[in-house]
Amino acid sequence: MKFVIIGLGQFGRQLATELEHERHEVVAVDINERIVEDIKDEVDLAVVADASDIKALEQLGLDEADVVVVAIGDDFAASLLVTGHLQELEVKRLVCRSLNPTHEKILRLMQVDEIVQAEEMAARQLAKRLGIRGAARHFALGDAHAIVEIEAPVWLCGKTLAESQLRGRFGLNLVTVRRAAEGGESEGRPIGVPEPDTRFERGDRLIVFGTETGVVAFAESKGQRA
């Protein structure tokens, strides 16, 4: 997917680099030349532009973007102006960062596709991740479900996916496994779509989908049958 991130403060930059890390195409935009220079090697394209100028936005090829994110974090008026321009340009999907309750109320009246409260969202995700033993990443999907990257419990090592009974015991679906190369990558590379005979190794990090309670139960499990 192609993302355009407008506003490269702490939230915008983190979002841009995370999306790039997930192998999406990212165009990062900010009016500050120094900030753009700092991120240019971390994304596909970094652009110095005044997004409050609709003519500048028209030069960004927004019609090719799957998602445009207004991540401006310190200028209420500029955020609303840019949002209005993007709606006029009819971008496919518009996501806006909310700066405060009043800002959020106005964005809702503007019928923006999606509104995020960066600080609240970050705190919630951090709390969820810290509350799951061995979790490296946590992506909430609604109130009850999540995709979590979690260290394989000791009891799982040497077992196959079929033997683990992840779905039967914990209601979890295994998306893939990150397995570190010998002597190498700290995060490891995905091994692809796991088969029933895929055997887990020490140091594997599992990307699983399921309920929050199922993930916690798996993280706390010692190998005995539930």
Side-chain angles (χ1 to χ4, degrees):
M1 294 177 67
K2 181 174 181 178
F3 293 82
V4 177
I5 312 299
I6 299 174
L8 301 176
Q10 184 175 355
F11 172 72
R13 178 166 182 159
Q14 183 70 27
L15 180 61
T17 55
E18 285 288 336
L19 288 168
E20 185 73 25
H21 177 76
E22 297 298 325
R23 293 182 169 83
H24 295 290
E25 182 181 353
V26 177
V27 178
V29 182
D30 199 282
I31 196 171
N32 188 310
E33 185 173 353
R34 178 187 59 79
I35 291 175
V36 172
E37 182 69 20
D38 285 345
I39 201 176
K40 70 177 185 179
D41 295 329
E42 301 180 52
V43 297
D44 293 280
L45 179 64
V47 180
V48 179
D50 179 2
S52 65
D53 182 350
I54 194 169
K55 292 183 178 179
L57 289 174
E58 289 173 338
Q59 302 303 310
L60 297 177
L62 298 176
D63 56 321
E64 299 176 357
D66 296 289
V67 184
V68 180
V69 181
V70 180
I72 296 169
D74 58 1
D75 192 331
F76 182 100
S79 174
L80 292 176
L81 181 58
V82 172
T83 299
H85 287 335
L86 292 169
Q87 288 184 315
E88 185 175 344
L89 293 173
E90 299 182 340
V91 298
K92 294 175 186 174
R93 183 180 176 193
L94 179 57
V95 178
C96 294
R97 177 187 181 181
S98 167
L99 305 181
N100 53 52
T102 301
H103 188 203
E104 181 176 353
K105 185 179 296 186
I106 295 172
L107 290 173
R108 292 195 184 285
L109 289 172
M110 295 175 73
Q111 298 184 327
V112 168
D113 296 323
E114 186 173 343
I115 301 167
V116 296
Q117 296 174 312
E119 289 76 11
E120 180 181 333
M121 180 173 63
R124 186 184 304 118
Q125 295 283 33
L126 177 60
K128 290 282 190 182
R129 180 170 63 80
L130 293 177
I132 299 174
R133 190 185 307 276
R137 291 189 176 91
H138 180 285
F139 304 94
L141 298 174
D143 294 331
H145 293 78
I147 296 174
V148 180
E149 182 175 331
I150 187 170
E151 183 179 340
V154 174
W155 67 265
L156 193 62
C157 300
K159 292 184 182 292
T160 65
L161 174 57
E163 291 169 339
S164 72
Q165 297 184 330
L166 284 181
R167 184 178 297 176
R169 290 183 60 190
F170 307 103
L172 300 180
N173 290 294
L174 182 64
V175 179
T176 189
V177 176
R178 284 189 186 272
R179 179 164 294 165
E182 291 184 10
E185 261 178 288
S186 58
E187 289 201 347
R189 292 182 177 275
I191 66 170
V193 179
E195 299 291 341
D197 61 353
T198 297
R199 194 171 298 277
F200 299 106
E201 299 179 4
R202 186 175 297 276
D204 281 352
R205 286 160 65 172
L206 284 55
I207 290 81
V208 297
F209 167 75
T211 63
E212 298 278 4
T213 54
V215 173
V216 171
F218 173 61
E220 299 291 340
S221 64
K222 305 296 184 184
Q224 70 271 22
R225 291 192 61 83

